[in-house]
Amino acid sequence: QVQLVESGGGLVQPGGSLRLSCAVSGSIFKINTMGWYRQAPGKQRELVARITSGGSTNYADSVKGRFTISRDNAKNTVYLQMNNLKPEDTAVYYCNSIIIILGSLYERDYWGQGTQVTVSS
């Protein structure tokens, strides 16, 4: 019923920038918090950034000052602007959205398929 479609990943040199997008579609009543997570090989999935429906944000310490999360509620889309990328940012990035679907009174998590970000010279 709900799909999260990500775009914008790829290969970039250290110090470069990428902008990830995640568009949500389906039988949606309300989208609450949206966020980005990442998982590097052999490591646990970790929160990168998240943003509430009211615009409040949280960032992992490792990306604070370099990444910016934003959302366009009219387009049901969340973005992650990544600047000054470092090799340690290399990971699969996953879009996450907490959604109440039509006909439901309760929210649940939905996930995108993941997009690869590789930072290397």
Side-chain angles (χ1 to χ4, degrees):
Q1 291 183 322
V2 174
Q3 292 190 75
L4 282 66
V5 180
E6 301 166 343
S7 62
L11 175 65
V12 66
Q13 293 182 333
S17 298
L18 285 173
R19 190 191 192 207
L20 305 183
S21 299
C22 175
V24 181
S25 62
S27 301
I28 300 168
F29 174 71
K30 186 177 187 297
I31 302 176
N32 292 323
T33 301
M34 307 178 80
W36 292 92
Y37 293 72
R38 68 186 181 188
Q39 187 167 23
K43 296 185 177 181
Q44 295 182 342
R45 187 174 299 187
E46 64 175 351
L47 173 69
V48 177
R50 61 186 173 200
I51 182 168
T52 69
S53 60
S56 181
T57 59
N58 291 99
Y59 296 92
D61 288 340
S62 59
V63 308
K64 199 170 298 181
R66 299 187 297 119
F67 291 10
T68 302
I69 189 170
S70 61
R71 62 192 287 171
D72 186 336
N73 291 331
K75 296 181 178 180
N76 289 339
T77 300
V78 62
Y79 306 93
L80 185 68
Q81 178 66 47
M82 304 185 292
N83 297 326
N84 192 24
L85 283 160
K86 303 176 180 180
E88 50 263 44
D89 295 318
T90 296
V92 178
Y93 284 70
Y94 296 91
C95 178
N96 169 259
S97 186
I98 301 175
I99 298 170
I100 303 172
I101 65 171
L102 291 173
S104 177
L105 297 176
Y106 308 102
E107 65 184 20
R108 60 161 289 180
D109 277 338
Y110 293 86
W111 292 89
Q113 77 286 349
T115 184
Q116 178 70 48
V117 172
T118 302
V119 185
S120 177
S121 60

